[in-house]
C-alpha cells in the first residue's frame, strides 16, 4: 500500500500492523432492538441495545426522572467500557456526555460529572500527521485542490480565503499541486480567520502569525510566493469582520500588492467550518450591526433569516471564482435531544469503527483521535444554546442554502474524481466514493461520511 506523506512533514500515517487494507471490520448491525428487559448484562452489549439504553436515558433526563436516569447510567457504565470494542467505546462516550448533561440538570452531583477537558494541542507536525490518518479531511483537500486549479487557470494571482477546521493543513498540498502544474507559478494570497477555532478541536499550539511564517517558508521552498494575512474574525457572528475586510479590498480594486482585481482569482475554501456559524434565525441573535456591517443594503433580513444563509449571500456579493464546500453529511441540528442523540449515534459510529484499521490501542494518536470525537459528542449531547456549536447539516440542506444564495453547483472533472480515487487507494478498504448530482461523497462501508461540492456564482 502506498503511504501518503503530507508535504508539511513527510511523515507517513501510522498503520495497525495487525490489520491490512484488505481486511474490513464487521459491518455495524442496523436492526432496531427494543428496550432490554431480563437479559443479563453480558447480553446488553449489543449495539442496538446500547443505543436504546442511551435513548431511554436521554428521555429520562429530559423528563427529570432522576431514578430511571441513574439506573440506566449505572447499567451503561457496566456494559460500555471506555477501552472496549468500537461499539462499546462509542456508547461509553455518549454515556459520559449524558452524565455531563445530567449533572448540568442537577440530577447528579457536580463531582460525578466526567472531566472531558483532555483535548490535545497539536504541533504543526502532529496536526499534519493527524489529518493524514484517514480520508476524513484528505478527501476534501484532494477534491478542493483539483477544483481550485480548474477555476483559476490563467490567473497570475490566486487569492484563497481559507475557512478550515484544520488550520490551513490543506494549503501545503495546494502549494505542491500549483508548483507542479505551472512553469511560472502564480502569486498565492492566503487570508484566514484568526481567533476562530481556539476552543474547537483539533487545536493548534502556536499562533496564526507563526503558522503563516511556516507556510510562507514552505511556499518559498517550492518557488512560490505566498502572502499570508490573518483577519481577527469568528464564526459566532458569521465572520463579519472577514467579510468586511474582503469587501473593502474589492472596493479599492486592489490586492495586497496593488494589482488590479481583474488579474486575481478569488477562491473561498470552506472545509468543515460553515456548520459552526449559528443556524438559528436572527430573531435570537443581535442584528443591530449585521445590516450595516456584514451585509450590504440590498440584503433582506427578516425574523426567519438564518445567519448561515446570510453569510452565503455575502459570499455571493464578493463574486468569487469558485466556492468549495466540504462538510460532514449528517444532521445534528434538532432541538430535540433524543432525535439529536439518535442522529449522532448513527453517524459517529463511523470514526470509532475506522480507527481500528489504522491505530493500535494505547497509542497517543488514538487517544487524541477519540478525544476529538468525544468533544463533538459532548457538545452535541450535553450543551444547548450558544454553547452547542456542533450543528452539522446534511448535504441536501446546504444545496438548498447555496442555490438560495444564487450559486450553482458545478461537477468535479473526471481528473479530479480520479485523483480522489487514487488517494482512497492509499487507505484501508472500506472507504469509497460515489457521485450525487454534481457533488461527490466519501463513504465508509456504503454510509455517507463527508461530501465535497464546488459552486459558481449563478
Amino acid at each position: 500500500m502506498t503511504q501518503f506523506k503530507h508535504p508539511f512533514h513527510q511523515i507517513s500515517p501510522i498503520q495497525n500492523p495487525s490489520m491490512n487494507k484488505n481486511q474490513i471490520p464487521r459491518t455495524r448491525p442496523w436492526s432496531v432492538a427494543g428496550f432490554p428487559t431480563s437479559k443479563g448484562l453480558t447480553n446488553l452489549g449489543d449495539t442496538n441495545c446500547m443505543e436504546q439504553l442511551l435513548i431511554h436515558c436521554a428521555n429520562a433526563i429530559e423528563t427529570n426522572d432522576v431514578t430511571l436516569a441513574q439506573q440506566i447510567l449505572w447499567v451503561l457504565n457496566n456494559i460500555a467500557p471506555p477501552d472496549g470494542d468500537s461499539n462499546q467505546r462509542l456508547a461509553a462516550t455518549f454515556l459520559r456526555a449524558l452524565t455531563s448533561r445530567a449533572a448540568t440538570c442537577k440530577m447528579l452531583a457536580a463531582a460525578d460529572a466526567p472531566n472531558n477537558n483532555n483535548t490535545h494541542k497539536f504541533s504543526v507536525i502532529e496536526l499534519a500527521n493527524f489529518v493524514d490518518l484517514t480520508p476524513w479531511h484528505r478527501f476534501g483537500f484532494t477534491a478542493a485542490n483539483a477544483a481550485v486549479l480548474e477555476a483559476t487557470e490563467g490567473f497570475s494571482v490566486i487569492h484563497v480565503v481559507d475557512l478550515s477546521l484544520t488550520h490551513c493543513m490543506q494549503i501545503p498540498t495546494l502549494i505542491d499541486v500549483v508548483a507542479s502544474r505551472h512553469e511560472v507559478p502564480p502569486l498565492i494570497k492566503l487570508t484566514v480567520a484568526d481567533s476562530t477555532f481556539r476552543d474547537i478541536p483539533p487545536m493548534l499550539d502556536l499562533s496564526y502569525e507563526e503558522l503563516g511564517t511556516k507556510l510562507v517558508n514552505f511556499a518559498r521552498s517550492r518557488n512560490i510566493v505566498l502572502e499570508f494575512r490573518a483577519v481577527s474574525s469568528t464564526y459566532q457572528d458569521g465572520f463579519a469582520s472577514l467579510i468586511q475586510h474582503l469587501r473593502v479590498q474589492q472596493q479599492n480594486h486592489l490586492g495586497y500588492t496593488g494589482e488590479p482585481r481583474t488579474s486575481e482569482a478569488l477562491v473561498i475554501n470552506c472545509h468543515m467550518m460553515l456548520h459552526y456559524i449559528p443556524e438559528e434565525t436572527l430573531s435570537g441573535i443581535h442584528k443591530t450591526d449585521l445590516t450595516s456591517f456584514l451585509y450590504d443594503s440590498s440584503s433582506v433580513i427578516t425574523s426567519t433569516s438564518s445567519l448561515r444563509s446570510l453569510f452565503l449571500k455575502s459570499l455571493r456579493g464578493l463574486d468569487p471564482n469558485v466556492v468549495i464546500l466540504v462538510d460532514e453529511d449528517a444532521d445534528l441540528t434538532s432541538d430535540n435531544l433524543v432525535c439529536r442523540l439518535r442522529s449522532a449515534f448513527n453517524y459517529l459510529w463511523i470514526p470509532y469503527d475506522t480507527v481500528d484499521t489504522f491505530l493500535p490501542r494505547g497509542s497517543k494518536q488514538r487517544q487524541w483521535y477519540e478525544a476529538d470525537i468525544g468533544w463533538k459528542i459532548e457538545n452535541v449531547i450535553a450543551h444547548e444554546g450558544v454553547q452547542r456549536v456542533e450543528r452539522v447539516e446534511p448535504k441536501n440542506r446546504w444545496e438548498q442554502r447555496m442555490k438560495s444564495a444564487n450559486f450553482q453547483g458545478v461537477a468535479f472533472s473526471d481528473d479530479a474524481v480520479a485523483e480522489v480515487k487514487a488517494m482512497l487507494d492509499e487507505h484501508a478498504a472500506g472507504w469509497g466514493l460515489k457521485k450525487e448530482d454534481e457533488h461527490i461523497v466519501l463513504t465508509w462501508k456504503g454510509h455517507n461520511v463527508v461530501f465535497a461540492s464546488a459552486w459558481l456564482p449563478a
Side-chain angles (χ1 to χ4, degrees):
M1 177 174 61
T2 303
Q3 290 186 332
F4 173 77
K5 296 184 179 181
H6 191 286
F8 227 17
H9 60 85
Q10 305 299 318
I11 296 178
S12 60
I14 296 175
Q15 302 294 325
N16 184 344
S18 65
M19 182 82 66
N20 62 51
K21 81 180 290 290
N22 296 316
Q23 290 179 284
I24 304 179
R26 64 180 179 82
T27 302
R28 183 182 187 278
W30 287 100
S31 59
V32 178
F35 183 73
T37 54
S38 59
K39 295 181 180 179
L41 289 182
T42 55
N43 294 325
L44 292 179
D46 174 77
T47 307
N48 299 306
C49 289
M50 289 191 288
E51 180 180 359
Q52 291 302 311
L53 282 169
L54 291 167
I55 289 171
H56 282 280
C57 185
N59 264 320
I61 292 173
E62 290 300 275
T63 57
N64 203 34
D65 190 335
V66 178
T67 301
L68 179 59
Q70 290 179 341
Q71 288 175 343
I72 299 175
L73 289 172
W74 181 86
V75 172
L76 284 166
N77 192 57
N78 282 276
I79 66 173
D83 58 349
D85 62 29
S86 61
N87 293 324
Q88 290 172 323
R89 299 197 310 277
L90 172 68
T93 307
F94 276 88
L95 167 62
R96 289 196 298 272
L98 286 172
T99 303
S100 180
R101 187 180 183 98
T104 302
C105 298
K106 310 299 183 184
M107 299 178 69
L108 295 175
D112 295 329
N115 180 13
N116 296 332
N117 297 324
N118 57 351
T119 306
H120 178 69
K121 285 193 174 183
F122 291 88
S123 69
V124 170
I125 301 299
E126 289 172 341
L127 183 56
N129 190 38
F130 181 79
V131 300
D132 290 345
L133 290 172
T134 76
W136 205 283
H137 292 292
R138 290 191 65 202
F139 169 79
F141 290 0
T142 306
N145 288 346
V148 169
L149 279 183
E150 293 174 11
T152 61
E153 185 176 358
F155 286 87
S156 59
V157 181
I158 302 175
H159 183 185
V160 179
V161 179
D162 191 45
L163 299 175
S164 170
L165 182 64
T166 58
H167 306 287
C168 300
M169 286 298 104
Q170 178 181 334
I171 301 306
T173 67
L174 177 61
I175 290 171
D176 263 354
V177 172
V178 170
S180 66
R181 301 288 178 88
H182 294 83
E183 291 185 9
V184 181
L187 167 68
I188 297 180
K189 300 176 182 178
L190 178 62
T191 299
V192 302
D194 198 359
S195 306
T196 300
F197 297 112
R198 294 304 178 186
D199 55 348
I200 297 177
M203 300 179 187
L204 202 57
D205 70 350
L206 76 167
S207 70
Y208 266 36
E209 182 179 9
E210 295 170 307
L211 176 64
T213 299
K214 291 181 180 293
L215 289 169
V216 168
N217 291 336
F218 176 81
R220 187 180 298 119
S221 73
R222 300 297 194 267
N223 296 317
I224 286 181
V225 177
L226 172 71
E227 295 180 358
F228 179 89
R229 177 168 294 182
V231 179
S232 181
S233 193
T234 179
Y235 59 87
Q236 283 97 337
D237 64 357
F239 298 102
S241 56
L242 175 64
I243 294 295
Q244 179 69 0
H245 166 80
L246 296 173
R247 184 175 292 125
V248 169
Q249 290 287 322
Q250 289 195 347
Q251 287 173 346
N252 293 337
H253 300 289
L254 296 174
Y256 297 161
T257 57
E259 293 190 38
R261 170 75 173 90
T262 53
S263 67
E264 180 176 307
L266 178 61
V267 173
I268 310 293
N269 185 59
C270 304
H271 184 91
M272 298 189 187
M273 179 284 303
L274 295 193
H275 71 258
Y276 290 102
I277 297 176
E279 46 88 23
E280 298 94 341
T281 58
L282 290 182
S283 58
I285 299 175
H286 294 295
K287 2 180 229 185
T288 305
D289 296 328
L290 287 179
T291 309
S292 59
F293 184 51
L294 179 53
Y295 307 105
D296 58 37
S297 57
S298 63
S299 297
V300 178
I301 296 182
T302 68
S303 60
T304 58
S305 295
S306 163
L307 189 56
R308 292 184 182 182
S309 296
L310 290 172
F311 170 78
L312 294 178
K313 290 179 181 178
S314 71
L315 290 187
R316 177 62 182 85
L318 296 173
D319 198 27
N321 293 78
V322 66
V323 174
I324 309 296
L325 175 54
V326 177
D327 217 319
E328 296 164 332
D329 196 6
D331 188 355
L332 305 180
T333 61
S334 176
D335 290 332
N336 181 280
L337 174 63
V338 172
C339 291
R340 209 161 64 237
L341 185 149
R342 192 187 297 273
S343 293
F345 192 88
N346 289 321
Y347 176 71
L348 292 172
W349 68 272
I350 295 173
Y352 279 96
D353 196 38
T354 63
V355 73
D356 292 326
T357 68
F358 61 88
L359 287 177
R361 292 192 181 189
S363 69
K364 287 184 178 179
Q365 288 83 1
R366 181 156 170 168
Q367 293 173 13
W368 300 339
Y369 183 85
E370 296 195 350
D372 281 7
I373 309 169
W375 186 95
K376 181 190 287 284
I377 290 173
E378 179 173 6
N379 190 265
V380 169
I381 301 302
H383 298 288
E384 295 293 350
V386 295
Q387 290 183 320
R388 180 162 63 86
V389 298
E390 281 288 348
R391 296 172 181 256
V392 176
E393 288 187 315
K395 176 175 67 67
N396 60 351
R397 202 174 300 164
W398 282 114
E399 287 178 345
Q400 294 170 2
R401 290 190 186 279
M402 293 299 290
K403 291 176 181 178
S404 295
N406 203 23
F407 285 100
Q408 61 182 13
V410 57
F412 290 92
S413 68
D414 292 341
D415 289 342
V417 173
E419 289 183 32
V420 175
K421 288 181 178 178
M423 179 274 297
L424 293 180
D425 288 340
E426 300 170 7
H427 291 275
W431 293 106
L433 169 72
K434 67 180 180 180
K435 296 181 181 179
E436 292 186 355
D437 299 323
E438 300 94 350
H439 319 303
I440 55 176
V441 180
L442 174 69
T443 64
W444 173 254
K445 298 179 181 178
H447 300 280
N448 286 16
V449 181
V450 174
F451 71 90
S453 57
W455 300 87
L456 303 178

